[in-house]
């Protein structure tokens, strides 16, 4: 596990070492691609495109940055995709009011779903950036997404009052098919970068644990409705045996890119609780309009 302080525990078995090596190789390849993409020479042949609007010239343009800021929950004057204010209610003393703003609640709420914090509304240009980062290999967009995820992690920890000890950050797993097609596990990499960004801040020590795996094949969630998504994921995840002792008794912060129906968070939380996890909460980059704060 990787954390704010130190490198965490050593690999308990050769399989973990092999998996870590695979992630390192994938990260090196991804980093090499990003460096090539950022070079001026490649710009002559393949001009840079904004990850939000596809305009040439920059990885992320000023217009998309301005639009992104307005999507943040709690931003004064911000609106969601239905025109409702996303300003977070604040109680006397500055404490957030639970159930408002970034603590998102799908309707209906799936059984076992933990409280989930989201940075902002899943709408363009954030929607386009997440899609390009995850599905098109635009790992250079981590420069845009990492600060958002770090803010969501930090706010989730503050919201539940976890201010000391160790918290295990558990990324939602990619399917085996997605790993084969992409060549890496982007959510794990994004979590590691966000935790690194939070290093040195007051609060608990965060350790990234890619502890979850798929135990059966699941369909692509993007084309499924609420009921189908929950059936698709029911019983689909488990904790990798080598991580059981790490998860048992720990406070866990689940992370996924987007909250839609809550099915992934509910299933992942069930898998963690099955092996004895302590309290479980969630954090994400964004929430769709199916959710309400």
């Amino acid at each position: 596990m990787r954390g704010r302080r130190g490198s965490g525990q050593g690999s308990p078995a050769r399989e973990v070492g092999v998996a870590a090596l695979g992630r390192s190789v994938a990260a090196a390849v991804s980093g090499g691609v990003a460096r090539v993409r950022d070079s001026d020479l490649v710009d002559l042949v393949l001009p840079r495109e904004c990850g939000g609007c596809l305009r040439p010239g920059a990885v992320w343009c000023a217009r998309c940055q301005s639009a992104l800021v307005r999507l943040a929950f709690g931003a004064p004057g911000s609106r969601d995709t239905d025109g409702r204010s996303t300003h977070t209610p604040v109680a006397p003393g500055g404490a957030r009011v639970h159930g408002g703003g970034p603590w998102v609640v799908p309707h209906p709420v799936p059984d076992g779903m933990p409280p989930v914090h989201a940075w902002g509304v899943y709408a363009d240009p954030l929607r386009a950036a997440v899609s390009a980062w995850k599905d098109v290999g635009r790992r250079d967009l981590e420069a845009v997404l990492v600060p958002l995820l770090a803010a969501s992690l930090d706010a989730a920890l503050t919201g539940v009052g976890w201010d000391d000890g160790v918290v295990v950050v558990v990324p939602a797993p990619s399917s085996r098919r997605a790993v084969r097609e992409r060549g890496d596990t982007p959510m794990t990499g994004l979590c590691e970068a966000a935790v690194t960004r939070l290093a040195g801040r007051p609060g608990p020590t965060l350790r990234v644990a890619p502890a979850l795996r798929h135990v059966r094949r699941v369909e692509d969630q993007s084309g499924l409705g609420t009921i189908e998504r929950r059936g698709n994921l029911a019983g689909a995840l488990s904790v990798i045996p080598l991580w059981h002792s790490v998860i048992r008794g720990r406070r866990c912060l689940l992370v996924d890119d987007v909250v839609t129906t809550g099915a992934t968070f509910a299933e992942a939380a069930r898998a963690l609780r099955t092996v004895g996890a302590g309290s479980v909460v969630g954090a994400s980059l964004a929430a769709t309009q199916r959710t309400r704060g």
Side-chain angles (χ1 to χ4, degrees):
M1 294 186 293
R2 298 177 174 84
R4 295 189 188 185
R5 296 190 292 271
S7 59
Q9 300 178 355
S11 299
R14 182 173 178 272
E15 288 82 353
V16 174
V18 172
L21 177 61
R23 290 195 298 272
S24 297
V25 171
V29 172
S30 179
V33 170
R35 287 191 294 273
V36 170
R37 181 185 287 119
D38 288 341
S39 71
D40 292 333
L41 179 61
V42 171
D43 251 3
L44 296 174
V45 181
L46 299 173
R48 294 186 181 115
E49 289 183 340
C50 173
C53 64
L54 301 183
R55 291 185 177 90
V59 170
W60 191 250
C61 71
R63 182 179 300 183
C64 284
Q65 180 59 29
S66 178
L68 177 67
V69 170
R70 292 194 294 271
L71 294 178
F73 285 124
S78 59
R79 299 278 168 178
D80 69 11
T81 52
D82 285 345
R84 292 181 298 271
S85 172
T86 63
H87 180 66
T88 305
V90 177
R96 289 187 176 89
V97 177
H98 285 242
W103 291 101
V104 294
V105 183
H107 289 275
V109 182
D111 293 338
M113 179 182 170
V116 178
H117 184 282
W119 178 85
V121 180
Y122 189 56
D124 288 332
L126 180 55
R127 174 168 47 203
V130 170
S131 177
W133 160 73
K134 183 169 66 173
D135 299 324
V136 188
R138 289 289 303 272
R139 302 296 184 257
D140 53 338
L141 290 172
E142 286 188 357
V144 177
L145 300 179
V146 166
L148 311 188
L149 183 59
S152 186
L153 295 177
D154 195 45
L157 294 169
T158 300
V160 295
W162 293 354
D163 55 8
D164 58 8
V166 175
V167 172
V168 180
V169 177
V170 183
S174 300
S175 68
R176 295 175 184 175
R177 181 175 63 181
V179 172
R180 288 195 302 269
E181 292 175 350
R182 296 169 183 161
D184 64 352
T185 52
M187 183 52 65
T188 297
L190 198 70
C191 286
E192 290 171 343
V195 165
T196 298
R197 186 179 179 88
L198 293 172
R201 296 190 183 188
T205 298
L206 302 181
R207 296 178 176 172
V208 179
L212 293 170
R213 65 177 179 183
H214 285 82
V215 295
R216 63 173 177 78
R217 183 175 179 177
V218 297
E219 300 300 324
D220 183 355
Q221 292 278 92
S222 61
L224 303 179
T226 300
I227 302 301
E228 291 81 8
R229 281 175 179 248
R230 294 175 185 174
N232 185 44
L233 284 176
L237 302 180
S238 73
V239 175
I240 299 168
L242 291 173
W243 290 103
H244 283 194
S245 61
V246 174
I247 297 300
R248 188 176 300 116
R250 297 282 192 180
R251 295 173 297 178
C252 295
L253 180 53
L254 274 170
V255 184
D256 201 4
D257 52 356
V258 181
V259 189
T260 303
T261 65
T264 298
F265 279 100
E267 172 58 17
R270 181 205 61 77
L272 293 174
R273 294 174 185 134
T274 296
V275 300
S279 300
V280 179
V281 299
S284 69
L285 290 168
T288 69
Q289 59 185 315
R290 297 186 187 192
T291 62
R292 298 290 184 270

